PDB file of all heavy atoms in Angstrom:
ATOM      1  N   SER A 865     -19.878  49.013   0.868  1.00  0.00           N
ATOM      2  CA  SER A 865     -20.333  49.651   2.104  1.00  0.00           C
ATOM      3  C   SER A 865     -20.486  48.635   3.225  1.00  0.00           C
ATOM      4  O   SER A 865     -20.199  48.930   4.378  1.00  0.00           O
ATOM      5  CB  SER A 865     -21.671  50.370   1.861  1.00  0.00           C
ATOM      6  OG  SER A 865     -22.647  49.432   1.402  1.00  0.00           O
ATOM      7  N   ASP A 866     -20.928  47.411   2.876  1.00  0.00           N
ATOM      8  CA  ASP A 866     -21.082  46.403   3.926  1.00  0.00           C
ATOM      9  C   ASP A 866     -19.746  46.004   4.530  1.00  0.00           C
ATOM     10  O   ASP A 866     -19.657  45.710   5.717  1.00  0.00           O
ATOM     11  CB  ASP A 866     -21.763  45.142   3.357  1.00  0.00           C
ATOM     12  CG  ASP A 866     -23.251  45.353   3.163  1.00  0.00           C
ATOM     13  OD1 ASP A 866     -23.766  46.353   3.689  1.00  0.00           O
ATOM     14  OD2 ASP A 866     -23.873  44.523   2.484  1.00  0.00           O
ATOM     15  N   SER A 867     -18.669  45.993   3.690  1.00  0.00           N
ATOM     16  CA  SER A 867     -17.384  45.522   4.181  1.00  0.00           C
ATOM     17  C   SER A 867     -16.786  46.462   5.216  1.00  0.00           C
ATOM     18  O   SER A 867     -15.889  46.080   5.955  1.00  0.00           O
ATOM     19  CB  SER A 867     -16.403  45.325   3.027  1.00  0.00           C
ATOM     20  OG  SER A 867     -16.078  46.570   2.432  1.00  0.00           O
ATOM     21  N   GLU A 868     -17.268  47.688   5.273  1.00  0.00           N
ATOM     22  CA  GLU A 868     -16.763  48.603   6.288  1.00  0.00           C
ATOM     23  C   GLU A 868     -17.049  48.094   7.702  1.00  0.00           C
ATOM     24  O   GLU A 868     -16.387  48.476   8.652  1.00  0.00           O
ATOM     25  CB  GLU A 868     -17.403  49.983   6.116  1.00  0.00           C
ATOM     26  CG  GLU A 868     -17.012  50.677   4.814  1.00  0.00           C
ATOM     27  CD  GLU A 868     -17.747  51.989   4.671  1.00  0.00           C
ATOM     28  OE1 GLU A 868     -18.220  52.503   5.712  1.00  0.00           O
ATOM     29  OE2 GLU A 868     -17.851  52.494   3.550  1.00  0.00           O
ATOM     30  N   PHE A 869     -18.042  47.233   7.788  1.00  0.00           N
ATOM     31  CA  PHE A 869     -18.435  46.735   9.107  1.00  0.00           C
ATOM     32  C   PHE A 869     -18.067  45.276   9.302  1.00  0.00           C
ATOM     33  O   PHE A 869     -18.536  44.618  10.209  1.00  0.00           O
ATOM     34  CB  PHE A 869     -19.949  46.920   9.294  1.00  0.00           C
ATOM     35  CG  PHE A 869     -20.394  48.329   9.076  1.00  0.00           C
ATOM     36  CD1 PHE A 869     -20.921  48.711   7.849  1.00  0.00           C
ATOM     37  CD2 PHE A 869     -20.265  49.269  10.080  1.00  0.00           C
ATOM     38  CE1 PHE A 869     -21.319  50.023   7.644  1.00  0.00           C
ATOM     39  CE2 PHE A 869     -20.673  50.573   9.873  1.00  0.00           C
ATOM     40  CZ  PHE A 869     -21.200  50.967   8.654  1.00  0.00           C
ATOM     41  N   ASP A 870     -17.219  44.753   8.412  1.00  0.00           N
ATOM     42  CA  ASP A 870     -16.772  43.361   8.512  1.00  0.00           C
ATOM     43  C   ASP A 870     -15.430  43.344   9.226  1.00  0.00           C
ATOM     44  O   ASP A 870     -14.417  43.722   8.660  1.00  0.00           O
ATOM     45  CB  ASP A 870     -16.650  42.744   7.118  1.00  0.00           C
ATOM     46  CG  ASP A 870     -16.174  41.292   7.167  1.00  0.00           C
ATOM     47  OD1 ASP A 870     -16.040  40.766   8.287  1.00  0.00           O
ATOM     48  OD2 ASP A 870     -15.949  40.711   6.092  1.00  0.00           O
ATOM     49  N   TYR A 871     -15.421  42.908  10.475  1.00  0.00           N
ATOM     50  CA  TYR A 871     -14.201  42.935  11.271  1.00  0.00           C
ATOM     51  C   TYR A 871     -13.501  41.585  11.306  1.00  0.00           C
ATOM     52  O   TYR A 871     -12.613  41.362  12.121  1.00  0.00           O
ATOM     53  CB  TYR A 871     -14.525  43.422  12.687  1.00  0.00           C
ATOM     54  CG  TYR A 871     -15.020  44.850  12.690  1.00  0.00           C
ATOM     55  CD1 TYR A 871     -16.382  45.127  12.749  1.00  0.00           C
ATOM     56  CD2 TYR A 871     -14.124  45.912  12.564  1.00  0.00           C
ATOM     57  CE1 TYR A 871     -16.834  46.432  12.725  1.00  0.00           C
ATOM     58  CE2 TYR A 871     -14.581  47.223  12.545  1.00  0.00           C
ATOM     59  CZ  TYR A 871     -15.933  47.472  12.614  1.00  0.00           C
ATOM     60  OH  TYR A 871     -16.383  48.770  12.595  1.00  0.00           O
ATOM     61  N   GLY A 872     -13.899  40.700  10.403  1.00  0.00           N
ATOM     62  CA  GLY A 872     -13.189  39.422  10.286  1.00  0.00           C
ATOM     63  C   GLY A 872     -13.433  38.467  11.425  1.00  0.00           C
ATOM     64  O   GLY A 872     -12.619  37.592  11.700  1.00  0.00           O
ATOM     65  N   LYS A 873     -14.559  38.606  12.116  1.00  0.00           N
ATOM     66  CA  LYS A 873     -14.825  37.767  13.276  1.00  0.00           C
ATOM     67  C   LYS A 873     -15.273  36.378  12.843  1.00  0.00           C
ATOM     68  O   LYS A 873     -15.995  36.198  11.867  1.00  0.00           O
ATOM     69  CB  LYS A 873     -15.884  38.421  14.166  1.00  0.00           C
ATOM     70  CG  LYS A 873     -16.194  37.659  15.437  1.00  0.00           C
ATOM     71  CD  LYS A 873     -17.005  38.479  16.410  1.00  0.00           C
ATOM     72  CE  LYS A 873     -16.160  39.524  17.101  1.00  0.00           C
ATOM     73  NZ  LYS A 873     -16.861  40.151  18.228  1.00  0.00           N
ATOM     74  N   ASP A 874     -14.832  35.372  13.602  1.00  0.00           N
ATOM     75  CA  ASP A 874     -15.213  33.990  13.381  1.00  0.00           C
ATOM     76  C   ASP A 874     -16.738  33.887  13.368  1.00  0.00           C
ATOM     77  O   ASP A 874     -17.417  34.348  14.294  1.00  0.00           O
ATOM     78  CB  ASP A 874     -14.630  33.133  14.512  1.00  0.00           C
ATOM     79  CG  ASP A 874     -14.783  31.642  14.277  1.00  0.00           C
ATOM     80  OD1 ASP A 874     -15.805  31.228  13.711  1.00  0.00           O
ATOM     81  OD2 ASP A 874     -13.887  30.891  14.707  1.00  0.00           O
ATOM     82  N   GLU A 875     -17.290  33.260  12.357  1.00  0.00           N
ATOM     83  CA  GLU A 875     -18.745  33.174  12.220  1.00  0.00           C
ATOM     84  C   GLU A 875     -19.396  32.348  13.332  1.00  0.00           C
ATOM     85  O   GLU A 875     -20.609  32.415  13.522  1.00  0.00           O
ATOM     86  CB  GLU A 875     -19.117  32.595  10.854  1.00  0.00           C
ATOM     87  CG  GLU A 875     -18.770  33.526   9.698  1.00  0.00           C
ATOM     88  CD  GLU A 875     -19.268  32.997   8.374  1.00  0.00           C
ATOM     89  OE1 GLU A 875     -19.828  31.876   8.358  1.00  0.00           O
ATOM     90  OE2 GLU A 875     -19.115  33.699   7.368  1.00  0.00           O
ATOM     91  N   ARG A 876     -18.610  31.558  14.068  1.00  0.00           N
ATOM     92  CA  ARG A 876     -19.179  30.760  15.150  1.00  0.00           C
ATOM     93  C   ARG A 876     -19.431  31.593  16.403  1.00  0.00           C
ATOM     94  O   ARG A 876     -20.107  31.124  17.321  1.00  0.00           O
ATOM     95  CB  ARG A 876     -18.233  29.613  15.512  1.00  0.00           C
ATOM     96  CG  ARG A 876     -17.958  28.624  14.383  1.00  0.00           C
ATOM     97  CD  ARG A 876     -16.882  27.648  14.787  1.00  0.00           C
ATOM     98  NE  ARG A 876     -15.609  28.322  15.051  1.00  0.00           N
ATOM     99  CZ  ARG A 876     -14.524  27.722  15.536  1.00  0.00           C
ATOM    100  NH1 ARG A 876     -14.582  26.415  15.833  1.00  0.00           N
ATOM    101  NH2 ARG A 876     -13.413  28.394  15.744  1.00  0.00           N
ATOM    102  N   LEU A 877     -18.919  32.807  16.449  1.00  0.00           N
ATOM    103  CA  LEU A 877     -18.984  33.610  17.669  1.00  0.00           C
ATOM    104  C   LEU A 877     -20.267  34.422  17.718  1.00  0.00           C
ATOM    105  O   LEU A 877     -20.577  35.175  16.800  1.00  0.00           O
ATOM    106  CB  LEU A 877     -17.773  34.535  17.752  1.00  0.00           C
ATOM    107  CG  LEU A 877     -16.404  33.834  17.726  1.00  0.00           C
ATOM    108  CD1 LEU A 877     -15.295  34.860  17.847  1.00  0.00           C
ATOM    109  CD2 LEU A 877     -16.319  32.797  18.833  1.00  0.00           C
ATOM    110  N   ARG A 878     -20.982  34.315  18.846  1.00  0.00           N
ATOM    111  CA  ARG A 878     -22.253  35.018  18.928  1.00  0.00           C
ATOM    112  C   ARG A 878     -22.092  36.502  19.187  1.00  0.00           C
ATOM    113  O   ARG A 878     -23.049  37.272  19.012  1.00  0.00           O
ATOM    114  CB  ARG A 878     -23.142  34.379  19.991  1.00  0.00           C
ATOM    115  CG  ARG A 878     -22.688  34.525  21.418  1.00  0.00           C
ATOM    116  CD  ARG A 878     -23.675  33.859  22.358  1.00  0.00           C
ATOM    117  NE  ARG A 878     -23.320  34.069  23.747  1.00  0.00           N
ATOM    118  CZ  ARG A 878     -24.039  33.601  24.773  1.00  0.00           C
ATOM    119  NH1 ARG A 878     -25.116  32.884  24.538  1.00  0.00           N
ATOM    120  NH2 ARG A 878     -23.670  33.845  26.024  1.00  0.00           N
ATOM    121  N   SER A 879     -20.896  36.952  19.583  1.00  0.00           N
ATOM    122  CA  SER A 879     -20.692  38.389  19.782  1.00  0.00           C
ATOM    123  C   SER A 879     -20.801  39.161  18.469  1.00  0.00           C
ATOM    124  O   SER A 879     -20.933  40.394  18.490  1.00  0.00           O
ATOM    125  CB  SER A 879     -19.336  38.669  20.429  1.00  0.00           C
ATOM    126  OG  SER A 879     -18.281  38.189  19.630  1.00  0.00           O
ATOM    127  N   ARG A 880     -20.792  38.454  17.331  1.00  0.00           N
ATOM    128  CA  ARG A 880     -21.037  39.118  16.043  1.00  0.00           C
ATOM    129  C   ARG A 880     -22.388  39.830  16.062  1.00  0.00           C
ATOM    130  O   ARG A 880     -22.595  40.818  15.358  1.00  0.00           O
ATOM    131  CB  ARG A 880     -21.016  38.089  14.907  1.00  0.00           C
ATOM    132  CG  ARG A 880     -19.659  37.439  14.687  1.00  0.00           C
ATOM    133  CD  ARG A 880     -19.709  36.307  13.661  1.00  0.00           C
ATOM    134  NE  ARG A 880     -20.000  36.819  12.329  1.00  0.00           N
ATOM    135  CZ  ARG A 880     -21.120  36.543  11.655  1.00  0.00           C
ATOM    136  NH1 ARG A 880     -22.051  35.783  12.198  1.00  0.00           N
ATOM    137  NH2 ARG A 880     -21.294  37.040  10.442  1.00  0.00           N
ATOM    138  N   GLU A 881     -23.312  39.296  16.900  1.00  0.00           N
ATOM    139  CA  GLU A 881     -24.650  39.880  16.964  1.00  0.00           C
ATOM    140  C   GLU A 881     -24.638  41.309  17.484  1.00  0.00           C
ATOM    141  O   GLU A 881     -25.615  42.045  17.291  1.00  0.00           O
ATOM    142  CB  GLU A 881     -25.551  39.013  17.852  1.00  0.00           C
ATOM    143  CG  GLU A 881     -25.752  37.593  17.356  1.00  0.00           C
ATOM    144  CD  GLU A 881     -26.522  36.747  18.355  1.00  0.00           C
ATOM    145  OE1 GLU A 881     -27.321  37.314  19.141  1.00  0.00           O
ATOM    146  OE2 GLU A 881     -26.330  35.522  18.370  1.00  0.00           O
ATOM    147  N   VAL A 882     -23.575  41.719  18.170  1.00  0.00           N
ATOM    148  CA  VAL A 882     -23.522  43.085  18.707  1.00  0.00           C
ATOM    149  C   VAL A 882     -22.335  43.878  18.167  1.00  0.00           C
ATOM    150  O   VAL A 882     -22.142  45.029  18.579  1.00  0.00           O
ATOM    151  CB  VAL A 882     -23.477  43.071  20.253  1.00  0.00           C
ATOM    152  CG1 VAL A 882     -24.771  42.508  20.826  1.00  0.00           C
ATOM    153  CG2 VAL A 882     -22.290  42.290  20.778  1.00  0.00           C
ATOM    154  N   THR A 883     -21.560  43.298  17.245  1.00  0.00           N
ATOM    155  CA  THR A 883     -20.393  44.038  16.746  1.00  0.00           C
ATOM    156  C   THR A 883     -20.337  44.161  15.228  1.00  0.00           C
ATOM    157  O   THR A 883     -19.564  44.982  14.724  1.00  0.00           O
ATOM    158  CB  THR A 883     -19.074  43.377  17.202  1.00  0.00           C
ATOM    159  OG1 THR A 883     -19.014  42.030  16.699  1.00  0.00           O
ATOM    160  CG2 THR A 883     -18.947  43.383  18.715  1.00  0.00           C
ATOM    161  N   GLU A 884     -21.105  43.393  14.471  1.00  0.00           N
ATOM    162  CA  GLU A 884     -20.964  43.393  13.021  1.00  0.00           C
ATOM    163  C   GLU A 884     -22.195  43.929  12.314  1.00  0.00           C
ATOM    164  O   GLU A 884     -23.321  43.736  12.776  1.00  0.00           O
ATOM    165  CB  GLU A 884     -20.671  41.972  12.517  1.00  0.00           C
ATOM    166  CG  GLU A 884     -19.271  41.506  12.856  1.00  0.00           C
ATOM    167  CD  GLU A 884     -18.850  40.290  12.050  1.00  0.00           C
ATOM    168  OE1 GLU A 884     -19.669  39.770  11.274  1.00  0.00           O
ATOM    169  OE2 GLU A 884     -17.700  39.872  12.199  1.00  0.00           O
ATOM    170  N   GLY A 885     -21.947  44.588  11.182  1.00  0.00           N
ATOM    171  CA  GLY A 885     -23.020  45.067  10.319  1.00  0.00           C
ATOM    172  C   GLY A 885     -23.385  46.515  10.586  1.00  0.00           C
ATOM    173  O   GLY A 885     -23.180  47.041  11.679  1.00  0.00           O
ATOM    174  N   PRO A 886     -23.944  47.181   9.578  1.00  0.00           N
ATOM    175  CA  PRO A 886     -24.306  48.599   9.728  1.00  0.00           C
ATOM    176  C   PRO A 886     -25.351  48.838  10.812  1.00  0.00           C
ATOM    177  O   PRO A 886     -25.363  49.872  11.461  1.00  0.00           O
ATOM    178  CB  PRO A 886     -24.845  48.978   8.339  1.00  0.00           C
ATOM    179  CG  PRO A 886     -25.177  47.681   7.670  1.00  0.00           C
ATOM    180  CD  PRO A 886     -24.236  46.667   8.220  1.00  0.00           C
ATOM    181  N   ASP A 887     -26.236  47.835  11.030  1.00  0.00           N
ATOM    182  CA  ASP A 887     -27.280  48.021  12.039  1.00  0.00           C
ATOM    183  C   ASP A 887     -26.748  47.939  13.456  1.00  0.00           C
ATOM    184  O   ASP A 887     -27.478  48.231  14.417  1.00  0.00           O
ATOM    185  CB  ASP A 887     -28.394  46.995  11.833  1.00  0.00           C
ATOM    186  CG  ASP A 887     -27.897  45.562  11.908  1.00  0.00           C
ATOM    187  OD1 ASP A 887     -26.748  45.321  11.483  1.00  0.00           O
ATOM    188  OD2 ASP A 887     -28.646  44.681  12.384  1.00  0.00           O
ATOM    189  N   LYS A 888     -25.481  47.554  13.604  1.00  0.00           N
ATOM    190  CA  LYS A 888     -24.878  47.481  14.933  1.00  0.00           C
ATOM    191  C   LYS A 888     -23.997  48.684  15.239  1.00  0.00           C
ATOM    192  O   LYS A 888     -23.234  48.678  16.203  1.00  0.00           O
ATOM    193  CB  LYS A 888     -24.062  46.186  15.080  1.00  0.00           C
ATOM    194  CG  LYS A 888     -24.902  44.916  14.949  1.00  0.00           C
ATOM    195  CD  LYS A 888     -26.032  44.880  15.967  1.00  0.00           C
ATOM    196  CE  LYS A 888     -26.800  43.567  15.930  1.00  0.00           C
ATOM    197  NZ  LYS A 888     -27.603  43.443  14.695  1.00  0.00           N
ATOM    198  N   ALA A 889     -24.117  49.727  14.431  1.00  0.00           N
ATOM    199  CA  ALA A 889     -23.354  50.952  14.696  1.00  0.00           C
ATOM    200  C   ALA A 889     -23.653  51.521  16.087  1.00  0.00           C
ATOM    201  O   ALA A 889     -22.728  51.943  16.796  1.00  0.00           O
ATOM    202  CB  ALA A 889     -23.638  51.987  13.603  1.00  0.00           C
ATOM    203  N   PRO A 890     -24.931  51.543  16.541  1.00  0.00           N
ATOM    204  CA  PRO A 890     -25.172  52.058  17.900  1.00  0.00           C
ATOM    205  C   PRO A 890     -24.479  51.215  18.966  1.00  0.00           C
ATOM    206  O   PRO A 890     -23.990  51.755  19.965  1.00  0.00           O
ATOM    207  CB  PRO A 890     -26.699  51.977  18.045  1.00  0.00           C
ATOM    208  CG  PRO A 890     -27.224  51.949  16.639  1.00  0.00           C
ATOM    209  CD  PRO A 890     -26.202  51.197  15.850  1.00  0.00           C
ATOM    210  N   HIS A 891     -24.446  49.894  18.757  1.00  0.00           N
ATOM    211  CA  HIS A 891     -23.809  49.005  19.718  1.00  0.00           C
ATOM    212  C   HIS A 891     -22.307  49.298  19.796  1.00  0.00           C
ATOM    213  O   HIS A 891     -21.725  49.390  20.883  1.00  0.00           O
ATOM    214  CB  HIS A 891     -24.026  47.546  19.318  1.00  0.00           C
ATOM    215  CG  HIS A 891     -25.462  47.164  19.094  1.00  0.00           C
ATOM    216  ND1 HIS A 891     -26.231  47.718  18.097  1.00  0.00           N
ATOM    217  CD2 HIS A 891     -26.258  46.277  19.737  1.00  0.00           C
ATOM    218  CE1 HIS A 891     -27.441  47.188  18.137  1.00  0.00           C
ATOM    219  NE2 HIS A 891     -27.481  46.307  19.129  1.00  0.00           N
ATOM    220  N   ARG A 892     -21.706  49.454  18.594  1.00  0.00           N
ATOM    221  CA  ARG A 892     -20.265  49.731  18.562  1.00  0.00           C
ATOM    222  C   ARG A 892     -19.965  51.102  19.163  1.00  0.00           C
ATOM    223  O   ARG A 892     -18.918  51.285  19.813  1.00  0.00           O
ATOM    224  CB  ARG A 892     -19.742  49.636  17.132  1.00  0.00           C
ATOM    225  CG  ARG A 892     -19.734  48.210  16.567  1.00  0.00           C
ATOM    226  CD  ARG A 892     -18.971  48.134  15.255  1.00  0.00           C
ATOM    227  NE  ARG A 892     -19.596  48.934  14.224  1.00  0.00           N
ATOM    228  CZ  ARG A 892     -20.577  48.536  13.410  1.00  0.00           C
ATOM    229  NH1 ARG A 892     -21.059  47.291  13.530  1.00  0.00           N
ATOM    230  NH2 ARG A 892     -21.088  49.327  12.488  1.00  0.00           N
ATOM    231  N   ALA A 893     -20.877  52.035  18.976  1.00  0.00           N
ATOM    232  CA  ALA A 893     -20.665  53.364  19.565  1.00  0.00           C
ATOM    233  C   ALA A 893     -20.572  53.261  21.086  1.00  0.00           C
ATOM    234  O   ALA A 893     -19.741  53.942  21.717  1.00  0.00           O
ATOM    235  CB  ALA A 893     -21.809  54.295  19.166  1.00  0.00           C
ATOM    236  N   MET A 894     -21.390  52.398  21.664  1.00  0.00           N
ATOM    237  CA  MET A 894     -21.328  52.201  23.116  1.00  0.00           C
ATOM    238  C   MET A 894     -19.990  51.589  23.519  1.00  0.00           C
ATOM    239  O   MET A 894     -19.376  52.008  24.506  1.00  0.00           O
ATOM    240  CB  MET A 894     -22.480  51.301  23.561  1.00  0.00           C
ATOM    241  CG  MET A 894     -23.867  51.861  23.308  1.00  0.00           C
ATOM    242  SD  MET A 894     -24.278  53.252  24.383  1.00  0.00           S
ATOM    243  CE  MET A 894     -24.630  52.384  25.909  1.00  0.00           C
ATOM    244  N   PHE A 895     -19.536  50.608  22.750  1.00  0.00           N
ATOM    245  CA  PHE A 895     -18.237  49.998  23.055  1.00  0.00           C
ATOM    246  C   PHE A 895     -17.111  51.016  22.900  1.00  0.00           C
ATOM    247  O   PHE A 895     -16.171  51.038  23.703  1.00  0.00           O
ATOM    248  CB  PHE A 895     -17.985  48.805  22.126  1.00  0.00           C
ATOM    249  CG  PHE A 895     -18.687  47.541  22.539  1.00  0.00           C
ATOM    250  CD1 PHE A 895     -19.613  46.937  21.703  1.00  0.00           C
ATOM    251  CD2 PHE A 895     -18.423  46.946  23.759  1.00  0.00           C
ATOM    252  CE1 PHE A 895     -20.261  45.769  22.074  1.00  0.00           C
ATOM    253  CE2 PHE A 895     -19.057  45.782  24.147  1.00  0.00           C
ATOM    254  CZ  PHE A 895     -19.981  45.185  23.299  1.00  0.00           C
ATOM    255  N   ARG A 896     -17.185  51.866  21.872  1.00  0.00           N
ATOM    256  CA  ARG A 896     -16.113  52.853  21.653  1.00  0.00           C
ATOM    257  C   ARG A 896     -16.030  53.824  22.825  1.00  0.00           C
ATOM    258  O   ARG A 896     -14.941  54.299  23.180  1.00  0.00           O
ATOM    259  CB  ARG A 896     -16.361  53.606  20.339  1.00  0.00           C
ATOM    260  CG  ARG A 896     -16.215  52.737  19.099  1.00  0.00           C
ATOM    261  CD  ARG A 896     -16.350  53.558  17.817  1.00  0.00           C
ATOM    262  NE  ARG A 896     -16.555  52.713  16.654  1.00  0.00           N
ATOM    263  CZ  ARG A 896     -15.619  52.043  16.013  1.00  0.00           C
ATOM    264  NH1 ARG A 896     -14.360  52.112  16.418  1.00  0.00           N
ATOM    265  NH2 ARG A 896     -15.922  51.313  14.944  1.00  0.00           N
ATOM    266  N   ALA A 897     -17.164  54.085  23.470  1.00  0.00           N
ATOM    267  CA  ALA A 897     -17.156  54.981  24.627  1.00  0.00           C
ATOM    268  C   ALA A 897     -16.335  54.396  25.770  1.00  0.00           C
ATOM    269  O   ALA A 897     -15.860  55.139  26.643  1.00  0.00           O
ATOM    270  CB  ALA A 897     -18.595  55.224  25.093  1.00  0.00           C
ATOM    271  N   MET A 898     -16.140  53.067  25.753  1.00  0.00           N
ATOM    272  CA  MET A 898     -15.376  52.402  26.810  1.00  0.00           C
ATOM    273  C   MET A 898     -13.947  52.098  26.388  1.00  0.00           C
ATOM    274  O   MET A 898     -13.223  51.403  27.094  1.00  0.00           O
ATOM    275  CB  MET A 898     -16.088  51.109  27.233  1.00  0.00           C
ATOM    276  CG  MET A 898     -17.449  51.341  27.858  1.00  0.00           C
ATOM    277  SD  MET A 898     -18.291  49.812  28.367  1.00  0.00           S
ATOM    278  CE  MET A 898     -18.806  49.149  26.782  1.00  0.00           C
ATOM    279  N   GLY A 899     -13.546  52.603  25.197  1.00  0.00           N
ATOM    280  CA  GLY A 899     -12.161  52.460  24.773  1.00  0.00           C
ATOM    281  C   GLY A 899     -11.902  51.308  23.823  1.00  0.00           C
ATOM    282  O   GLY A 899     -10.745  51.062  23.465  1.00  0.00           O
ATOM    283  N   PHE A 900     -12.932  50.573  23.416  1.00  0.00           N
ATOM    284  CA  PHE A 900     -12.738  49.482  22.460  1.00  0.00           C
ATOM    285  C   PHE A 900     -12.651  50.050  21.053  1.00  0.00           C
ATOM    286  O   PHE A 900     -13.160  51.127  20.753  1.00  0.00           O
ATOM    287  CB  PHE A 900     -13.883  48.476  22.576  1.00  0.00           C
ATOM    288  CG  PHE A 900     -13.918  47.763  23.899  1.00  0.00           C
ATOM    289  CD1 PHE A 900     -14.873  48.086  24.856  1.00  0.00           C
ATOM    290  CD2 PHE A 900     -12.982  46.782  24.203  1.00  0.00           C
ATOM    291  CE1 PHE A 900     -14.906  47.436  26.083  1.00  0.00           C
ATOM    292  CE2 PHE A 900     -13.007  46.125  25.436  1.00  0.00           C
ATOM    293  CZ  PHE A 900     -13.965  46.461  26.371  1.00  0.00           C
TER     294      PHE A 900
END
């Protein structure tokens, strides 16, 4: 279940804080509204 939210992002990148993991589903929902 965790791997569903693993997008292969470089661990050095701080944007992982808003794009990775199940707890970031609301964040990704906002991005999806903008076409990402």
Side-chain angles (χ1 to χ4, degrees):
S865 59
D866 284 347
S867 67
E868 294 176 20
F869 305 97
D870 180 5
Y871 296 99
K873 183 167 285 191
D874 189 324
E875 292 186 357
R876 299 173 298 174
L877 302 181
R878 68 179 184 179
S879 60
R880 294 173 67 246
E881 298 174 27
V882 295
T883 60
E884 288 196 357
D887 58 326
K888 298 303 185 290
H891 306 64
R892 291 191 297 273
M894 298 289 284
F895 280 119
R896 292 185 195 281
M898 296 180 286
F900 295 106

